[in-house]
Amino acid sequence: MNVSVMRNLAAIFAICSVIPVQAEEMTTQLDTSGTITIHNASVPLPDALSEGGQAVLKRSGATEGPGAPMPLPEDITDIKEIRKVYNDNLQPYVDHMKSVFPVDIEETTINGISAAIITPKGGVPEKNANRLILNGPGGGFRTGVRANGLLISIPVAAQMKVKVISILYRQGPEHRFPAASEDLLKVWDVVSKEVPPENIGMVGCSAGGMLVSQTTAMLIEAGRPVPGALGVYCAGLGMTPSGDSVFTGKLSITNIEADMKPVTAPAPRGGMSYFDGVDTTQFIAAPLNDATKLAQFPPVLFFTGTRDFLMSGAAYSHRKLLAAGVESDLLIYDGLYHGFMTNPDFPESQEGYGIAADFFDKHLGQ
């Protein structure tokens, strides 16, 4: 599949538009600020979502972002206990991913950073012996746990047949930016002495996608070599402007039966405190803000869905990279939510895994 055919952003946003079941019943109201209020609109699952994808939505739940299994009981206040319970809640999803993609996982420490080394069953072939992928887990820079990292790393290791190292890093509320980037750099400092930087890729979902882009920005800021390629899943390049997906993300469906039941969202536990008091306009936090330095980024693959609340950030980042002369590919899947690729049962996930493997294989050195 030629990824470049997905670059027409106008078409992408058109298919993401609200579509009424009966147009005559829908009314819109526009105010002087440009805000449109829509009444009596119904939004069906798009025809572009595969039958297999629609079937998955009827039986499964999310593992990342809205709908992800959260710690119970809700009276847990200690953040370390929250992370532990959250990680435990995700283990069945990790076990399922391993049943689909058999891998070996070794827990270790690299330069003081907790890490898991994921390799395909049967080992890494000679072609990829001098290649490596680094991963930072998602979790809003608050609940970045091992399971989140494994759900992204396992299919990368298995599909590309390459070694992946998934780390744990300092995050909020205990720590502030750029602590997570500094921790990923500690691992980078070790592995980039063993493997040429151009042979190393980075991949992450949500906060993990922000992390790999912000860490790359720190390497550029320091005048150091950068990775050979990045996979930024369900995120943009660091801090990005808000876009339409803030609203289309509200159409997110993770499980049809469960989502039909009225629920009260739990009160947020302190928000994204990782960035509190930080200048989030600086290049190492928001790489898109400096076009000259952005031009030094390696090729980037964005992987998201039309109902991911961070889709606009991915699309905006893709456009800015192309304007800066950086190779960028954009995968957007209709009807799917933030972090859907952590579920291997979606045909769209399987397709994306293959495209991502080809992307890294094309751009990483050997």
Side-chain angles (χ1 to χ4, degrees), residues 2 19 21 30 44 63 91 106 119 126 128 150-151 173 179 183 192 217 263 265 267 275 284-285 292 298 312 336:
N2 187 341
I19 304 172
V21 173
L30 175 66
T63 55
Q91 286 310 307
E106 175 191 354
T119 51
E126 183 62 28
N128 292 330
L150 292 177
L151 288 168
D183 288 350
S192 62
V263 297
F275 290 103
I284 62 172
T292 301
S312 291
L336 292 177

Side-chain angles (χ1 to χ4, degrees), residues 10 19 53 76 110 119 126 156 167 232 235 268 311 314 323:
I19 304 172
I76 298 176
I110 300 175
T119 51
E126 183 62 28
V156 173
I167 75 161
V232 177
M311 180 200 71

Side-chain angles (χ1 to χ4, degrees), residues 146-166:
R146 178 70 79 223
N148 272 344
L150 292 177
L151 288 168
I152 294 298
S153 299
I154 288 171
V156 173
Q159 285 283 103
M160 191 180 169
K161 299 190 181 304
V162 69
K163 179 166 73 173
V164 180
I165 298 176
S166 181

